[in-house]
Amino acid sequence: MAYGLSTGGLFRYEDIFSPYLPTLTPLIWTLLVSLGSYSKFDILAVAAIQFLTCVCSKQMNISLFNETVLTQIIESIVIQNIKLTASDEETFCDNAVEYIRKDMEGGDGDTRRRCAMELLRALMKYFANTINPLVLKYTEVLFSSYYNGQDYIAKDAALHLIMSVLYLPTTNSLVNTLNPTIDINGILNTHIVNELTVARTSVGKEILKADCIKFISMLRGDVNAATLTNLFS
């Protein structure tokens, strides 16, 4: 509750909270790193991630996030909280349609994954030059884990990292600009098509296929019809 109230307070009482942020912010991300993936800490983790999202989205707080800090946030907070959990897999097994609907429509807004993606998008606002190379670096590591050891959780995380930064931040919700550092065609041909064409032999494969369909749906306004037809042929 205290974290939730503090997040709201940052918007309403910036002048009061600002002097404490240089001390409070490192405490929050240190806390997040220590929580691990235990479900009993989900509420606290979500509130803490939302707090960081609020802080990093303000230009006045840029000095709090140097390259070392940003690297730690991506590696130890964003990636760890964006990963598929046992609970996610159970939900998918129980009702795959409902899982996909919530994922596509944003009905999972208070989950660690959704909040981690929002944090990454917020970081792109002022730190894109640092965040883009970090995302590309870690997605390659995660993709390698999948192709070398069939770790579908790693590929699922890699795809969600990319989806988080697929479009550049904008104040106009009607205008979407693709992130030029993301090789869309390369990802489609290397990491998407193969999941759409293989047989669904496990829950992991089914989840990855759902991820790929979601990825394509995000791009539907920026990929030509011929490309989409080839992907599903």
Side-chain angles (χ1 to χ4, degrees):
M1 178 65 74
Y3 286 98
L5 291 174
S6 296
T7 302
L10 282 176
F11 286 107
R12 298 184 185 90
Y13 310 109
E14 283 185 351
D15 54 335
I16 297 175
F17 271 88
S18 293
Y20 303 101
L21 290 181
T23 301
L24 185 58
T25 304
L27 292 177
I28 297 297
W29 70 59
T30 300
L31 170 67
L32 267 170
V33 172
S34 70
L35 288 180
S37 59
Y38 299 108
S39 59
K40 64 182 179 181
F41 295 131
D42 283 354
I43 294 175
L44 179 58
V46 164
I49 295 171
Q50 289 174 337
F51 179 92
L52 288 180
T53 301
C54 180
V55 173
C56 74
S57 64
K58 300 287 186 178
Q59 188 172 14
M60 61 189 288
N61 299 323
I62 287 178
S63 62
L64 299 177
F65 299 90
N66 57 39
E67 186 171 350
T68 300
V69 168
L70 292 171
T71 301
Q72 182 186 16
I73 289 176
I74 298 299
E75 182 177 327
S76 302
I77 296 175
V78 172
I79 292 176
Q80 295 309 312
N81 287 284
I82 215 169
K83 285 184 175 180
L84 197 70
T85 66
S87 176
D88 293 328
E89 293 188 63
E90 289 175 10
T91 301
F92 187 90
C93 289
D94 291 340
N95 192 334
V97 173
E98 181 65 12
Y99 173 94
I100 294 169
R101 186 189 66 78
K102 283 186 175 181
D103 191 37
M104 297 286 286
E105 297 177 2
D108 57 347
D110 287 331
T111 63
R112 290 191 187 214
R113 163 172 284 185
R114 181 68 62 176
C115 291
M117 294 177 73
E118 291 301 324
L119 172 59
L120 188 50
R121 292 186 182 109
L123 288 169
M124 284 287 292
K125 184 176 182 180
Y126 295 115
F127 309 103
N129 289 339
T130 302
I131 295 300
N132 277 321
L134 287 172
V135 168
L136 294 177
K137 170 188 172 181
Y138 286 113
T139 53
E140 285 305 310
V141 171
L142 291 164
F143 280 136
S144 294
S145 293
Y146 174 70
Y147 293 112
N148 293 329
Q150 290 301 296
D151 181 0
Y152 65 89
I153 291 177
K155 182 167 184 177
D156 172 84
L159 290 173
H160 280 83
L161 280 178
I162 294 170
M163 285 188 275
S164 300
V165 300
L166 196 55
Y167 288 94
L168 297 176
T170 177
T171 55
N172 187 346
S173 60
L174 299 177
V175 178
N176 290 318
T177 303
L178 283 170
N179 186 339
T181 67
I182 304 298
D183 180 8
I184 302 299
N185 288 328
I187 292 170
L188 288 172
N189 292 324
T190 306
H191 305 298
I192 301 296
V193 173
N194 58 350
E195 298 298 343
L196 294 174
T197 55
V198 298
R200 293 177 292 175
T201 56
S202 66
V203 173
K205 286 292 186 182
E206 291 180 352
I207 290 174
L208 288 179
K209 183 162 286 190
D211 291 341
C212 292
I213 293 173
K214 176 184 176 183
F215 187 92
I216 294 169
S217 73
M218 292 180 66
L219 288 167
R220 62 187 181 277
D222 296 290
V223 177
N224 60 53
T227 300
L228 291 176
T229 300
N230 290 334
L231 286 173
F232 288 98
S233 61

